[in-house]
Amino acid sequence: MSKDSQWVVGLNAVAAALEHDAAHVLEVLIEAGSQNPRATEIEQQARRLGIEVRKVGKQAMEGIAGGVTRHQGAAARYAAAPVLDENALQDIVDQADGKALILVLDGVQDPHNLGACLRSAYAAGAHAVMIPKDKAVQVNATVRKTSAGAADRIPVVRVTNLARALKDLQQLNVWIYGIDGEATSRIYDTDLKGNVALVMGSEGEGMRRLTREHCDGIVAIPMPGQMESLNVSVAAGIALFEAVRQRVSV
């Protein structure tokens, strides 16, 4: 497979790609002998769109799915989104016209969490999601499936040095807020209407020291219940949509 394309697997992910971004679907694979009516619908939709459809055996489908255990008999070869790096940050912020909203993930390891974060970020109208190149999960087939297509519709910026990239954002007049359950300031009392980057730590360790030191503020999502912490993707969704709430109420 070309480096310019990747596999999207699962009924929901393939259906979302056909519905929202069919121009980038290069071909669709359906497991031979599948009796699933949704797989049939996907095949018919792809053919209506003029996209090549191939029937393949179960073993071939499982090989394409890789670590994704539930491919559900459908996969699509998808034109990969361009890889963005630190050089893209200025254009992203400039085009947001003073209201950039960027989600920063400091070392998220679980592909399902990354996919869910991308989905929430896209739904919230965020302008980009920033992830480190090392010691963090990258966009793969599991991420694409979990994101329901968002992985290819929101810019993902992979940076070599996260702390340095945060400093670059500050030079672009972006305020950086780290989310930490032990902070004394509440996210609901924080102005999120301008250029803002929201930083989430990894599942187990939270934000790294250098990441925390490059934040303009550390804020908490209040939790009246007795849970010690929220799942990173849940916390990201709450933080993103607090920014949305503030912006739409202006």
Side-chain angles (χ1 to χ4, degrees):
M1 182 177 60
S2 167
K3 292 182 180 179
D4 295 329
S5 64
Q6 298 178 7
W7 290 108
V8 175
V9 299
L11 293 170
N12 289 338
V14 175
L18 290 173
E19 179 180 357
H20 299 292
D21 203 10
H24 289 91
V25 178
L26 306 178
E27 65 176 330
V28 169
L29 273 57
I30 301 295
E31 185 177 329
S34 173
Q35 301 299 313
N36 191 316
R38 288 202 64 204
T40 301
E41 291 175 5
I42 286 173
E43 177 182 357
Q44 293 173 345
Q45 175 70 355
R47 294 189 186 280
R48 283 196 296 269
L49 293 168
I51 298 169
E52 179 184 0
V53 177
R54 290 195 290 133
K55 297 291 186 70
V56 301
K58 181 178 181 180
Q59 185 174 359
M61 185 67 74
E62 290 177 349
I64 289 168
V68 181
T69 57
R70 288 181 56 80
H71 55 73
Q72 303 169 303
R77 188 161 62 88
Y78 195 93
V83 176
L84 302 179
D85 59 19
E86 294 92 334
N87 295 322
L89 291 175
Q90 180 159 356
D91 283 344
I92 289 171
V93 174
D94 288 347
Q95 291 173 15
D97 195 24
K99 294 184 177 181
L101 179 58
I102 298 172
L103 177 64
V104 180
L105 302 175
D106 183 15
V108 169
Q109 302 293 321
D110 188 334
H112 296 91
N113 280 337
L114 176 55
C117 286
L118 292 173
R119 186 172 184 173
S120 293
Y122 182 70
H127 297 90
V129 175
M130 184 189 297
I131 62 175
K133 288 183 178 179
D134 299 319
K135 298 181 180 180
V137 67
Q138 304 300 303
V139 177
N140 57 28
T142 304
V143 173
R144 291 177 184 277
K145 180 178 180 180
T146 308
S147 77
D152 293 290
R153 296 200 289 275
I154 186 168
V156 177
V157 180
R158 298 189 302 168
V159 300
T160 303
N161 186 311
L162 188 60
R164 186 173 62 206
L166 292 176
K167 185 175 181 179
D168 290 342
L169 283 176
Q170 289 171 324
Q171 294 296 317
L172 296 171
N173 297 317
V174 177
W175 287 84
I176 314 292
Y177 294 105
I179 312 300
D180 188 319
E182 296 183 359
T184 56
S185 298
R186 306 191 317 160
I187 190 170
Y188 303 133
D189 301 323
T190 305
D191 186 350
L192 304 176
K193 295 187 287 293
N195 288 329
V196 169
L198 301 171
V199 185
M200 315 298 304
S202 65
E203 294 91 345
E205 303 299 324
M207 282 182 290
R208 290 174 291 179
R209 179 181 60 83
L210 280 177
T211 302
R212 180 183 293 270
E213 290 177 358
H214 282 79
C215 292
D216 295 301
I218 307 295
V219 298
I221 297 171
M223 291 189 294
Q226 299 302 310
M227 289 299 294
E228 293 183 0
S229 63
L230 293 171
N231 174 278
V232 62
S233 63
V234 174
I238 293 171
L240 287 164
F241 278 92
E242 170 58 17
V244 172
R245 184 195 68 79
Q246 293 187 20
R247 293 166 186 231
V248 299
S249 63
V250 174

